């Protein structure tokens, strides 16, 4: 079994009475893998929200009053305390609407699912996020520079991604999902792979067939499919598709 990073203890979250509907605003630009993860969870659970597509790199002044760290997503309940950090928002959503569950009830599976989420949001974030998506979307599209550091992109795609994909294959171990049924571990991992695919990283399905079929299962989940369909209409995704399409051929 692939070794996972030690699990961080989630911080205490503001209590919310499940019986009372709360108007929610999700702050964060929708092509962010962290925002995507939260959106998929909210969609799966049927939790209504308004999306405020703030880009923290260019609209930091809008984020800081909600999250001193200046990062997104932030979930803002009307009249309540903002909840920053995607993992904390997922925990809040699971407590508010327990079914369908995205965090397993079984203690061992729960620990595994949360550890996989942490692994995705640290290890995969650095390679598929910062070195691929960051250099190919954040730098040129949002900061307006001619291009990012393509040497970093090449290194990430050719040297650093394959060992991570081997680890993901090990996490699956011939199973449909990484921790029992479809859940937060799958959502977190696949969100980073989608970010990489948008910027021209092509998964070698012959080398990692189990990952290719797993991604199809993940993306076919109703909540996930809706989020993907909406993303494909967005200007940055269309821009990236046109710019990096040749890399997928």
């Amino acid at each position: 079994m692939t070794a996972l990073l030690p699990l961080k203890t989630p911080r205490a979250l503001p209590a919310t009475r499940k019986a009372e509907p709360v108007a929610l605003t999700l702050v964060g630009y929708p092509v962010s893998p962290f925002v995507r993860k939260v959106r998929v969870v909210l969609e799966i659970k049927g939790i209504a929200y308004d999306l405020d597509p703030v880009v923290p790199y260019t609209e930091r002044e809008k984020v800081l009053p909600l999250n001193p760290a200046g990062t997104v997503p932030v979930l803002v309940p009307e009249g309540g305390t903002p909840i920053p950090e995607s993992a904390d928002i997922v925990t809040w959503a699971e407590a508010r609407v327990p079914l369908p569950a995205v965090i397993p009830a079984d203690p061992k599976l729960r620990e595994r699912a949360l550890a996989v989420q942490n692994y995705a949001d640290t290890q995969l974030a650095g390679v598929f996020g910062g070195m691929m998506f960051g250099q190919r979307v954040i730098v040129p599209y949002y900061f307006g520079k001619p291009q990012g550091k393509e040497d970093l992109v090449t290194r990430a795609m050719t040297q650093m991604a394959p060992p991570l994909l081997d680890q993901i294959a090990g996490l699956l171990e011939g199973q449909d999902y990484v921790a029992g049924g479809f859940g937060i571990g799958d959502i977190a991992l696949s969100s980073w792979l989608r970010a990489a695919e948008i910027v021209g990283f092509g998964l070698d399905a012959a080398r990692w067939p189990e990952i290719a079929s797993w991604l199809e299962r993940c993306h076919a989940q109703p909540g996930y499919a809706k989020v993907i369909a909406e993303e494909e209409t967005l200007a940055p995704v269309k821009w990236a598709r046109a710019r990096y399409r040749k890399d997928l051929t």
Side-chain angles (χ1 to χ4, degrees):
M1 181 182 297
T2 301
L4 300 175
L5 294 177
L7 180 61
K8 297 183 295 185
T9 302
R11 68 179 180 85
L13 300 178
T16 304
R17 293 178 61 188
K18 298 179 184 179
E20 298 178 0
V22 176
L24 300 170
T25 299
L26 180 63
V27 178
Y29 67 120
V31 293
S32 159
F34 289 113
V35 175
R36 177 183 303 114
K37 178 179 73 173
V38 168
R39 292 192 68 207
V40 170
V41 170
L42 296 178
E43 293 290 347
I44 287 172
K45 290 183 171 294
I47 299 176
Y49 63 96
D50 292 322
L51 181 65
D52 185 1
V54 173
V55 180
Y57 315 106
T58 58
E59 301 174 291
R60 191 171 176 82
E61 72 283 356
K62 295 182 180 180
V63 181
L64 288 175
L66 303 173
N67 178 14
T71 60
V72 295
V74 182
L75 188 68
V76 184
E78 184 178 26
T81 303
I83 307 171
E85 302 298 335
S86 63
D88 290 335
I89 298 172
V90 170
T91 301
W92 176 91
E94 186 78 355
R96 183 170 181 80
V97 180
L99 297 175
V102 296
I103 301 176
D106 177 84
K108 290 184 177 179
L109 289 177
R110 178 185 181 88
E111 181 180 9
R112 178 178 174 85
L114 295 177
V116 170
Q117 177 184 214
N118 185 51
Y119 165 77
D121 290 345
T122 52
Q123 302 303 298
L124 268 62
V127 176
F128 295 102
M131 296 179 72
M132 294 188 200
F133 186 80
Q135 294 302 318
R136 284 196 158 184
V137 169
I138 304 303
V139 173
Y141 186 85
Y142 289 108
F143 286 138
K145 296 187 178 181
Q147 67 177 31
K149 296 179 180 178
E150 280 296 308
D151 58 327
L152 289 183
V153 176
T154 299
R155 181 182 171 212
M157 289 186 174
T158 61
Q159 298 179 35
M160 301 183 73
L164 292 174
L165 292 170
D166 287 340
Q167 290 177 0
I168 294 172
L171 289 171
L172 287 166
E173 294 184 316
Q175 304 300 309
D176 284 347
Y177 301 107
V178 298
F182 176 73
I184 191 56
D186 307 287
I187 298 167
L189 291 170
S190 59
S191 184
W192 291 106
L193 294 183
R194 173 161 169 78
E197 185 271 330
I198 288 172
V199 299
F201 178 73
L203 177 71
D204 185 345
R207 181 173 176 180
W208 294 287
E210 62 275 78
I211 296 179
S213 58
W214 163 77
L215 279 173
E216 289 183 1
R217 288 191 294 274
C218 290
H219 293 168
Q221 296 289 329
Y224 214 139
K226 178 182 178 182
V227 169
I228 288 176
E230 292 178 357
E231 286 181 0
E232 291 297 327
T233 69
L234 300 176
V237 174
K238 291 182 177 180
W239 175 89
R241 293 281 188 216
R243 183 173 174 122
Y244 304 116
R245 185 179 294 116
K246 64 181 186 302
D247 291 359
L248 291 171
T249 60

